[in-house]
Structure formats: C-alpha cells, structure tokens
Amino acid sequence: MSREPLSLDGLGELRRSHAARDLTPDRVGTEVVLAGWVHRRRDHGGVIFVDLRDREELVQVVFRPDACPEAHSRAHELRSEYVILVRGTVQRRSPETVNTKLPTGEVEVEVEELRLLNRATPPPFELEAETDADEGTRLRYRLHDLRRAPLQRALRLRHRLYQAVRKALVDLDFLEIETPVLAKSTPEGARDFLVPSRIHPGSFYALPQSPQIMKQLLMIAGFDRYFQIARCFRDEDQRADRQLEFTQVDLEMAFVGVEDVLQVLEEVTCQGCAVAGVELPRPFPRLSHAEALARYGSDRPDTRIQLELVDLTEAFRESGFRAFRDVVDAGGIVKCLPIHDAQALGRSEVDRLEGFVRKELGARGLAWIRVGEEGEWQSPIVKFLSDAERAAVAERTQARPGSLLFFQADQAQRADAVLSRLRTDLGQRLGRVDGRAWDVLFVVDFPLFERDEAGALTYTHQPFVAPRDEDIELLESAPERVRGTHYDVVLNGVELGSGSLRNHRADVQRRIFELLGYSKQQSEARFGFLLNALDIGAPPHGGFAYGYDRWAMLLAGFDSLRDVIAFPKTQRGQDLLMDSPAPVEPEQLDELALRIARRGRQEDD
Ligand code: ASP
C-alpha cells in the first residue's frame, strides 16, 4: 500500500529533555523529549517499536495505536536513519521484554508525540557495532560509519584524552602556544608536503613534520615551558600505523636535564591513561637501548611477552660453519630465539614461518634446532656445528627436551627485526605472556649516531638531539661512541612518543651538522635561523612529543589509527568522503605559476 510521503516537521518549541543514556528505571513516570535517529523499526502487529539512537545510547520508543493514534500512524513511515524527536513517558518494561544487552533495556518510552525532522537515504551498511563493510566502503560513507557506537566511543575517548593531557600540562605550568602550519622544511626524516606561494612564485612553504624547531625557538624566546596539540605532516608511504597528517602532543622545557623531562612524562602519561581507567605502575621501568635490543631485538619491546633473545655471535666467531662465520666476519650477528615446550609448533608451522620471514621481513632464511623428547637435536644445521658450539648453544639458550631454537645470522638490524617479530607473534600465539594488560617503560641511552646503509654517519633520531655532556669530547675523536640524551615512552610494544635534550650550544650543533655531512653553506641555508638563535643566549632545554593518534588508539583498544581519527586518509593518502586529493582549475595553477609536467599515479591506473 503506497502512502503519501510524509511532510516534515520543524523542531517547534520542543527541545530534548534527556539523552537516551539517562533513561534508567528511576525515571519511570517522567515525561521526556528525546531526539535522534531511527536505528531500527519493528512492527509487532499493531504496536511499532523504534530504537532511537542518539550520540551515546539506544532506547526503545513505542507507538501504540490506542494510546496515540496519530503518532502511531505516522510511525509506519519511519525508516532507518530518519531524524526524529519524540515526546512521551518513561515506562518500565515487563520482565519478559527487558533487554539485558542495552543499558536502557529495563525501560521504554511510550510516545505521545512524534516529529519527523528529516528523512534519510538508506544507509549503505547496517550501523551496528560489528560491521562486515570493507574499509573502503566505511571511509566513503564515513558519516554513517561514524554513527556506529564503537567510533562514537573512540572519538569521545579521544576528546577526554585531550582534556586530561591539557589539564596535566597546564597544572605543571606549561603554556599552550600555537606555531605556524605554513612553515619551513624540518628534518624529521620524511618527505615534506610543500605549499606553493602565490606571492612569491617558485617559493614554497613546508608543512611542519613536527613543531621541533619552533618549540626550541620558543625556549630561546623565554617561554620556559610550552606545549601544543599540534598537527604534523609527513609525506610518507602509508603503513597501518601511519597517517599523512597526524597529531602530536608536543612539549618543551628549559633549564632541565633528562630526569626532569621524564618526571613530567610520567605524570602526563599516567593522567592521560587514566581517562580509560588505566593505572600505570610508577616509577616507570627503564630499559637501556642496548638492553632492549639485546633481550628483545627491538627498541620498543612489549615486555609482557616472556620470550627473550640470546646473542650467540661470540660462539660462532671462529666457527667452521661458514653460513654463520661469514656473517660474523662481515660485522653481523648471530642471535637465537629459544622457545621451550614448543611441541605445538610442528614442522609445517616452522616451514610456514620460514616462508613468512623470507617474504615479509627480507630474511635470508630461518635456521632452527628442535630438541626431541630424548634430548636429541633435530635440525638441518646441527651437522655443521662443533661440539663446543653445540655446548655453547645449549648452555646459553637453556635448551631442553621440547625446545625449539630459531636463529638469525645477519646484519644486526635485520636479525633483530626478524627475531623480534617472531618473538611477539609466537609469544602471543603460544600464550607466553605475563597477564598484565598494560606495559609501560622508558627506553633511554640511545646512541647519538648510527651508520646508514652506505656506512655514513647519520642521526639516530634527529639532528638537534644533544649528546650527553660527558661525551661531547668524543664528537671529535669517536663520534659513533657518543651517547645521546634521547628517550622514548613505550606502551604495550608501541612507541608512544620520543624526545631528548637539544643542543643549546651553537658550537656543538654546528659540529653535529658537520659530522652529518652538511656543508657550512647547507647548514646555514637550512638552519641558519636556528644557529643564529642559539647564539643569542639559548638555555639548556629538552622536550618530547607523544603520537596522539596512537595513544588514543591503544586506549580505545583499536588496531587501526583510522578508527580514532574522524576523517582519516586511506593507505594511498586519499580522503574518500571528500574525494581529495583532487585536480584544481588551470587558473589556480596559473596563479601559483605552476604547470603539471606529468600526471599522477592515480590517473594512470
Ligand atoms: N620532534 C620530535 C619528533 O617529532 C619529537 C621530539 O623530540 O620532541 O619526532
């Protein structure tokens, strides 16, 4: 039976009196006005039930033909996502109709008046907590996606985290100061986003990869304690835990050493985590960078996982087993991940892991030794090992019947990356975890420099990190031994943020630029303003930046940053809702004195 389309109502003088979440049994008998969306409509032989959804909760509203014929007859027309306002009375549901899954499930609202405020096209997928819509669809129809309860909850948590962090920092006497978004290129190591200047054709602003230099300038300008919840931009290829634009809680302090900053970080981290009911142990445990790599193969280990790596490089330094010995001769390492009681990992699983580390992690292979129930060693490599090597392996790994030992012989970084990945994957899969829900730590004592693939000296974090005072001399004699002042906060195996003391002495900063291979002219062209600023009386200073999206993601219990960002970009840097990036009018290019020389990837494929 087709009906005339309904006319729409205005809000009139009616206003929402309660939110759905307020409707608990103690409101029974209260007249309420609710506003929201039709989540679901059910027609039960005359009586029509609608789940009305507002920003936090659902509540059942009931249209009975006898109680209110007019509202009831209009309720037939309601469809998913129609926008309504209802006036009615809260009633207790009969015991057999109580919905225990809903916080408001003990009551319902008997409708006396309905206002239809707007219609809606049918939603592209059901707006339930669990959805099987693929991510592309969710991002294209982001507004529907955002109406789903988990995303509403995530963004509410994100909001509370802002407030908690802000309050913690303000209570610690930090000033909130904004820095420019149209800025100059800074060397965080990623590609810059450039913005062409119309007024200065051929010149470009860079969007900040972080406010790093600006916050240092603020210290020199005398502000002493600064923070900002800052948007940062890095034109990187996307990974699951990266976005082209992301948010940092950025802070900087003057007249401080490492300990002072760590105290602040502990306080702010605890207050932030408390918004999700997470209580962190204080003081935070600390791990040196060297120890983190040695035991876990990662500078952001999840220490809840009870598996640890064993370094066997020395045992193979003189080895007759060429595959290991050659790696050691070339400066590489031999490391092992022992897993005891590993009967659950059968031969086919080991083969699968080998395929995985070769294909996904660039490993050359995955050597292994299994210790059988009688203590016998089963392994393709065991015949190459001398008795002394076998004894060393057995002793260092504590191998026993049931143990499975995985080896990597490779350049240190790659060997560690492979074993650390196996450690987390297998540790979780086999339940080798200590049961703590949260694991926070400071990782400290990073080296100032490392060698890049070509063997040249490069910075471990960024070129402004100050060396430890007692190592400044080594900048001349043995720069690779210089220890930095860098520190990270790691939460559940994720780097929550990082920071350091900075070079406040221009001579030290200049020397570091030199060691990094910048010519005098290059340093002046890129960082002249910083070097000049250091010359005007820069106080010792240091700071930190939290990866805010990651923090919110961990606290909200999601695996993807996109779930805690209102309008995120896809892996390919697109906003599917607004359809950006997009071509612009030729006149706009003319104004900027730009010409497109070649079409982008998107149009080619
Ligand atoms: N600016 C640094 C970054 O974005 C963090 C810091 O050292 O404060 O990685």
Side-chain angles (χ1 to χ4, degrees), residues 195-481:
V195 180
S197 163
R198 177 183 57 80
I199 304 168
H200 304 279
S203 286
F204 294 80
Y205 303 97
L207 303 183
Q209 293 186 33
S210 85
Q212 179 63 41
I213 294 185
M214 300 312 298
K215 66 177 171 177
Q216 292 191 236
L217 297 182
L218 287 170
M219 292 305 102
I220 299 168
F223 288 99
D224 208 275
R225 288 185 167 208
Y226 137 98
F227 85 98
Q228 178 180 198
I229 300 183
R231 196 60 68 83
C232 306
F233 306 85
R234 297 183 191 179
D235 189 1
E236 300 179 295
D237 287 333
Q238 302 272 280
R239 283 189 261 136
D241 64 345
R242 295 272 159 110
Q243 282 276 307
L244 297 178
E245 55 179 304
F246 59 96
T247 305
Q248 283 189 348
V249 178
D250 191 46
L251 61 98
E252 197 76 7
M253 310 161 72
F255 303 107
V256 289
V258 168
E259 278 312 311
D260 306 288
V261 186
L262 297 188
Q263 292 312 316
V264 164
L265 297 180
E266 215 173 275
E267 182 63 28
V268 175
T269 308
C270 285
Q271 295 206 24
C273 287
V275 303
V278 174
E279 205 179 310
L280 299 175
R282 294 178 77 166
F284 290 179
R286 294 184 188 194
L287 261 184
S288 73
H289 174 254
E291 187 182 351
L293 286 185
R295 293 172 58 189
Y296 307 109
S298 164
D299 57 11
R300 47 185 161 83
D302 185 333
T303 63
R304 295 171 303 177
I305 295 172
Q306 300 294 288
L307 300 175
E308 293 197 15
L309 311 186
V310 176
D311 191 330
L312 293 165
T313 312
E314 290 314 312
F316 289 97
R317 195 166 289 290
E318 306 294 329
S319 181
F321 180 29
R322 298 304 310 185
F324 282 10
R325 164 80 182 272
D326 288 351
V327 168
V328 177
D329 284 349
I333 61 170
V334 179
K335 244 170 147 172
C336 174
L337 170 67
I339 302 179
H340 305 304
D341 307 312
Q343 287 84 351
L345 297 175
R347 182 61 202 259
S348 61
E349 180 58 16
V350 171
D351 290 344
R352 197 194 62 76
L353 288 171
E354 174 161 16
F356 166 75
V357 300
R358 274 180 194 275
K359 265 226 307 280
E360 306 290 327
L361 308 178
R364 296 190 203 165
L366 182 64
W368 53 268
I369 295 173
R370 186 189 292 282
V371 185
E373 292 310 321
E374 306 299 322
E376 75 286 8
W377 285 24
Q378 309 152 356
S379 160
I381 63 165
V382 75
K383 58 177 176 282
F384 303 114
L385 307 187
S386 69
D387 288 347
E389 284 156 6
R390 287 183 58 149
V393 170
E395 201 252 312
R396 299 287 321 283
T397 64
Q398 304 275 295
R400 56 177 197 240
S403 297
L404 181 56
L405 317 177
F406 290 113
F407 294 83
Q408 282 296 295
D410 210 328
Q411 165 246 357
Q413 234 177 350
R414 192 155 48 212
D416 273 336
V418 170
L419 291 177
S420 120
R421 177 65 185 268
L422 289 181
R423 173 183 172 270
T424 37
D425 285 4
L426 295 175
Q428 273 157 1
R429 186 129 62 84
L430 300 173
R432 305 294 165 87
V433 290
D434 67 10
R436 286 176 300 141
W438 296 93
D439 174 36
V440 70
L441 41 117
F442 285 129
V443 180
V444 295
D445 295 338
F446 285 80
L448 190 64
F449 300 113
E450 54 194 29
R451 299 255 171 218
D452 66 14
E453 305 241 312
L457 220 50
T458 169
Y459 48 81
T460 307
H461 287 99
Q462 33 128 315
F464 312 117
V465 177
R468 298 249 290 247
D469 280 345
E470 56 276 31
D471 288 2
I472 288 181
E473 300 285 289
L474 290 176
L475 285 173
E476 302 306 322
S477 51
E480 56 278 326
R481 290 195 6 237

Side-chain angles (χ1 to χ4, degrees), residues 500-554:
S500 69
L501 303 185
R502 329 295 183 183
N503 295 305
H504 67 287
R505 282 173 48 178
D507 59 335
V508 175
Q509 184 64 77
R510 284 200 168 88
R511 178 70 189 131
I512 288 173
F513 284 149
E514 259 169 47
L515 287 166
L516 291 171
Y518 294 115
S519 70
K520 259 201 174 56
Q521 290 81 343
Q522 283 170 328
S523 311
E524 290 302 328
R526 286 192 75 183
F527 307 117
F529 63 100
L530 175 69
L531 293 167
N532 291 339
L534 295 179
D535 279 334
I536 70 161
H541 60 286
F544 190 79
Y546 289 92
Y548 186 79
D549 307 292
R550 263 184 234 171
W551 195 358
M553 174 184 85
L554 287 174

Side-chain angles (χ1 to χ4, degrees), residues 75-95:
H76 279 292
E77 307 294 328
L78 297 179
R79 295 289 175 270
S80 289
E81 300 311 301
Y82 277 26
V83 188
I84 58 173
L85 181 133
V86 295
R87 184 176 57 74
T89 305
V90 183
Q91 314 250 322
R92 188 179 286 280
R93 294 204 206 180
S94 60

Side-chain angles (χ1 to χ4, degrees), residues 265 269 284 440-442 487-491 494-497 544:
L265 297 180
T269 308
F284 290 179
V440 70
L441 41 117
F442 285 129
Y487 32 80
D488 280 353
V489 174
V490 176
L491 187 61
V494 173
E495 183 194 304
L496 197 59
F544 190 79

